[in-house]
């Protein structure tokens, strides 16, 4: 990520959610109120103005995003499925007793803000790069802060998750928790991804889950997003948020097992693919990291 600059990809995901709200039938996929809350957040944080939000709602922009699907087939609608998948996992986990939700690389995601009043007994935490997190905090302040939503501004490439949470007196390391990393791990170097999985297993209690999305690797070991992979890798680099990490789906089980997690194929619908990404849920291994 370019130094000190708010995330362009977080802005793109949020604007895509606004545009998806104008696409017929997407209301059956998107979580309730996500479009309205995202619009409010984008404006209140100053990420974009009212005009850009109105423009993003237009059928012309729906057509533009659809046209770009030639580069990343299915990726436009995949953002709606991604929001729905992770929110479903979070609600499911809360139903099973989770009392902490941690969203890593939260960007302008509104799940914490929307769900916090509905679940007053659950503590919501979000971490993002300072440049993005500060803008978001401004927006959340204007929209109405939640007592049980804590926004943390940290670069996880510079400070370890365990240290960040150790300093937060509301964080309970033994609580059943769900960690969400939606559209994050592809932006981290390989060693940082290993380290993050390892640390995630240390900061949560027994029965916790880790829900994340990832881009699969191709035969050459690079992220594989189809025919236009080379162009997309270049574009991501140009905007300063290159895709650095990917893995072959058949190697994921062993990879996470070594880091304190196990795949959860027994949980219904916990490995799905939409657009170029897989959405996965892992369970904390009782033995912790190797
Ligand atoms: C593609 S955006 C996804 C945002 C959000 N999860 C969503 O899906 O709406 C990736 C996010 O990861 C954050 N991020 C990337 N590297 C990070 C790091 N080292 N520490 C903290 N956040 C990071 C970016 O600032 C950005 O908000």
């Amino acid at each position: 990520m370019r130094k000190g600059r708010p995330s362009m990809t977080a802005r793109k995901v949020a604007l895509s959610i606004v545009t998806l709200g104008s696409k017929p039938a997407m209301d059956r996929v998107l979580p309730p109120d996500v479009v309205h809350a995202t619009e409010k957040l984008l404006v209140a944080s100053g990420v974009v103005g009212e005009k850009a939000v109105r423009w993003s709602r237009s059928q012309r922009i729906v057509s533009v995003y659809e046209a770009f699907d030639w580069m990343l087939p299915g990726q436009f609608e995949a953002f709606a499925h991604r929001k729905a998948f992770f929110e479903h996992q979070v609600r499911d986990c809360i139903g099973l007793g989770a009392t902490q939700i941690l969203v890593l690389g939260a960007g302008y995601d509104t799940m914490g803000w929307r769900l916090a009043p509905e679940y007053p007994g659950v503590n919501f935490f979000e971490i993002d790069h300072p440049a993005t997190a500060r803008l978001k905090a401004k927006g959340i302040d204007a929209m109405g802060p939640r007592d049980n939503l804590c926004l943390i501004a940290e670069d996880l490439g510079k400070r370890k998750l365990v240290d960040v949470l150790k300093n937060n007196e509301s964080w309970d390391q033994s609580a059943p928790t769900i960690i969400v990393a939606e559209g994050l791990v592809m932006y981290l170097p390989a060693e940082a991804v290993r380290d993050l999985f390892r640390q995630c297993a240390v900061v949560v209690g027994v029965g916790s889950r880790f829900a994340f999305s990832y881009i699969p690797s191709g035969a050459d070991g690079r992220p594989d997003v189809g025919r236009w992979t080379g162009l997309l890798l270049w574009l991501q680099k140009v905007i300063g948020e290159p895709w650095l990490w990917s893995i072959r789906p058949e190697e994921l089980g062993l990879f996470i097992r070594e880091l304190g997690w196990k795949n959860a194929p027994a949980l219904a619908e916990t490995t799905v693919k939409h657009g170029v990404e897989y959405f996965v849920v892992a369970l904390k291994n009782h033995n912790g990291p190797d």
Side-chain angles (χ1 to χ4, degrees):
M1 173 144 359
R2 295 239 164 95
K3 240 186 162 171
R5 200 182 68 176
S7 167
M8 298 270 285
T9 54
R11 178 177 177 272
K12 157 112 188 345
V13 176
L15 284 171
S16 299
I17 297 303
V18 174
T19 306
L20 281 160
S22 300
K23 188 172 157 80
M26 277 296 113
D27 55 341
R28 292 204 290 273
V29 177
L30 287 159
D33 207 33
V34 67
V35 176
H36 181 58
T38 307
E39 290 175 354
K40 261 174 90 166
L41 178 62
L42 285 172
V43 174
S45 57
V47 174
V48 299
E50 299 265 9
K51 202 168 157 194
V53 166
R54 273 199 304 278
W55 182 241
S56 296
R57 279 190 213 124
S58 68
Q59 287 309 311
R60 187 169 295 181
I61 296 296
V62 172
S63 308
V64 169
Y65 276 126
E66 282 177 343
F68 272 95
D69 265 9
W70 64 264
M71 264 204 291
L72 287 169
Q75 191 56 28
F76 176 39
E77 290 192 3
F79 287 130
H81 292 285
R82 201 166 95 177
K83 291 287 164 210
F85 177 88
F86 288 99
E87 188 156 326
H88 173 78
Q89 297 304 326
V90 166
R91 287 182 182 278
D92 200 36
C93 244
I94 293 174
L96 291 169
T99 55
Q100 279 183 153
I101 316 297
L102 171 62
V103 183
L104 302 173
Y108 306 116
D109 180 73
T110 58
M111 181 173 63
W113 185 79
R114 286 179 295 109
L115 268 51
E118 196 181 324
Y119 298 106
V122 173
N123 282 329
F124 291 80
F125 298 82
E126 294 185 356
I127 303 180
D128 206 301
H129 228 269
T132 306
R134 284 196 195 113
L135 269 188
K136 183 175 188 173
K138 183 178 149 206
I140 295 286
D141 272 351
M143 287 161 72
R146 313 299 202 196
D147 288 344
N148 53 338
L149 169 63
C150 173
L151 304 185
I152 303 171
E154 283 289 352
D155 179 348
L156 291 171
K158 289 199 179 134
R159 265 194 92 201
K160 286 193 178 293
L161 181 67
V162 276
D163 294 331
V164 172
L165 294 174
K166 204 164 60 192
N167 291 338
N168 192 304
E169 54 191 37
S170 314
W171 183 261
D172 177 357
Q173 203 150 302
S174 59
T177 301
I178 176 162
I179 300 177
V180 172
E182 194 190 328
L184 172 71
V185 291
M186 58 287 276
Y187 297 102
L188 304 178
E191 196 37 54
V193 175
R194 294 187 78 83
D195 205 32
L196 187 68
F197 273 83
R198 224 179 267 126
Q199 291 181 59
C200 283
V202 170
V203 296
V204 296
V206 174
S208 294
R209 296 185 188 183
F210 188 1
F212 59 96
S213 67
Y214 73 94
I215 297 176
S217 299
D220 58 3
R222 294 188 311 170
D224 178 10
V225 294
R227 201 166 154 214
W228 299 98
T229 293
L231 173 62
L232 263 303
L233 287 173
W234 178 78
L235 283 173
Q236 288 296 136
K237 214 166 156 179
V238 167
I239 65 163
E241 295 177 49
W243 286 332
L244 301 173
W245 187 81
S246 60
I247 191 165
R248 288 184 200 190
E250 61 274 21
E251 289 169 1
L252 185 73
L254 181 60
F255 176 82
I256 62 174
R257 215 159 35 243
E258 286 172 357
L259 303 170
W261 298 91
K262 60 185 175 195
N263 227 341
L267 305 175
E269 294 171 12
T270 51
T271 301
V272 295
K273 187 172 188 239
H274 284 285
V276 300
E277 275 175 286
Y278 282 88
F279 312 153
V280 184
V281 180
L283 292 176
K284 179 169 163 158
N285 220 339
H286 289 299
N287 303 328
D290 284 349

